[in-house]
Amino acid sequence: MRVLVTRPAAQADDWVQALRARGIDAAALPLIGIDPPEDAAPVRAAWRTLAAQRLVVFVSPNAVEQFFALRPEGLAWPAGTLAGSPGPGTTRVLQRLGVPPAAIVEPAGDAAQFDSEALWARLAQHPWRDAAVLIVRGESGRDWLADTLRAHGAVVGFVTAYRRAAPLLDAAQRARLDAALHDPPRHVWLFSSSEAIDRLLALAPGAGAATACAVATHPRIAERARAGGFGAVHACRPEQDAVVACIQSIDPSERRSSSLPP
């Protein structure tokens, strides 16, 4: 059984290596392209206002990567500004790029899910009346956290740090997609966003077959996979151990021999 990791390329490669280290046959099939923003000026301007922000929320690892890629020379993360992270993947990138661990607010390690709601459970402990909050994201996203912060008195703004784009598959990735379409029970799709499912079904409408299997790292993503026609959908937390356990729990009857492209 081959696991197809559908995250954007940078995160997909990391996950492939991690899964292979755990004995799982994994391959990257990025279904979301990540491009810089059309206008970088607002991001650079946002960097110059960070010291005035009580909190900067990054919606994903891509938001962190792209925001820091446009950091003006000489600027560092300011003391007194919190960085909000929805989960461990985003936190790892924040730390790698120099944000002090003490400045990062993230969901509890035993949270049922890693999402805006779990992040708010931690943020709710802080006062937000008249506090400036910046949310770093793509062109759009869920507004639940922004609305919740506003309801508690925060002044919330947004900056677009990247654009999501259609996937550009190379020859090897195209071969993996063709193999999955030809032999669905021999593959498992690992989805970390509903948009990846939408991109896949636009690229290959037959991917959501009754014999196709998916692992989704959030209940909302699992719902989208079922609506897209995937016959077997397994939901788990977006942690390596949880994902590995979920993959390993899939019924062995779905695994059968076949020749797979590298």
Side-chain angles (χ1 to χ4, degrees):
M1 182 178 65
R2 167 163 287 180
V3 176
L4 298 174
V5 182
T6 63
R7 289 172 178 260
Q11 291 89 51
D13 289 341
D14 290 343
W15 269 87
V16 165
Q17 292 177 20
L19 292 175
R20 287 179 176 174
R22 302 289 292 271
I24 292 173
D25 179 14
L29 188 54
L31 292 176
I32 301 175
I34 301 296
D35 291 339
E38 289 187 0
D39 184 2
V43 177
R44 295 193 176 100
W47 266 100
R48 296 186 176 92
T49 72
L50 287 191
Q53 304 290 340
R54 175 66 179 131
L55 169 71
V56 180
V57 177
F58 295 89
V59 302
S60 68
N62 292 305
V64 182
E65 294 273 11
Q66 299 300 315
F67 188 77
F68 275 76
L70 293 171
R71 173 173 50 180
E73 186 175 355
L75 292 186
W77 192 263
T81 298
L82 297 174
S85 163
T90 303
T91 296
R92 283 193 293 271
V93 181
L94 284 167
Q95 293 179 348
R96 174 168 57 81
L97 293 175
V99 179
I104 299 173
V105 183
E106 63 178 340
D110 60 354
Q113 300 295 334
F114 294 127
D115 54 18
S116 295
E117 288 84 350
L119 175 57
W120 172 249
R122 286 296 181 89
L123 294 174
Q125 304 169 22
H126 299 263
W128 295 107
R129 179 65 55 187
D130 298 325
V133 176
L134 178 67
I135 296 180
V136 182
R137 65 181 187 178
E139 308 96 312
S140 61
R142 288 181 72 219
D143 289 333
W144 184 90
L145 183 58
D147 293 342
T148 301
L149 284 160
R150 287 192 183 110
H152 286 77
V155 180
V156 181
F158 299 91
V159 66
T160 298
Y162 65 96
R163 293 176 295 141
R164 293 180 291 270
L168 297 175
L169 303 183
D170 60 26
Q173 292 163 350
R174 172 60 69 173
R176 290 169 195 154
L177 174 59
D178 291 343
L181 296 176
H182 176 72
D183 194 0
R186 189 67 183 83
H187 295 77
V188 173
W189 294 91
L190 176 56
F191 293 120
S192 59
S193 75
S194 295
E195 184 176 351
I197 300 172
D198 294 338
R199 296 281 188 183
L200 173 61
L201 296 179
L203 187 66
T211 53
C213 180
V215 169
T217 58
H218 193 281
R220 283 191 296 271
I221 304 171
E223 290 174 8
R224 180 66 191 94
R226 293 186 185 99
F230 287 82
V233 179
H234 308 262
C236 67
R237 299 170 81 225
E239 290 182 311
Q240 185 184 132
D241 287 347
V243 170
V244 169
C246 185
I247 292 168
Q248 292 176 336
S249 73
I250 294 172
D251 189 341
S253 67
E254 297 184 30
R255 309 181 188 186
R256 55 191 173 80
S257 300
S258 131
S259 177
L260 295 171

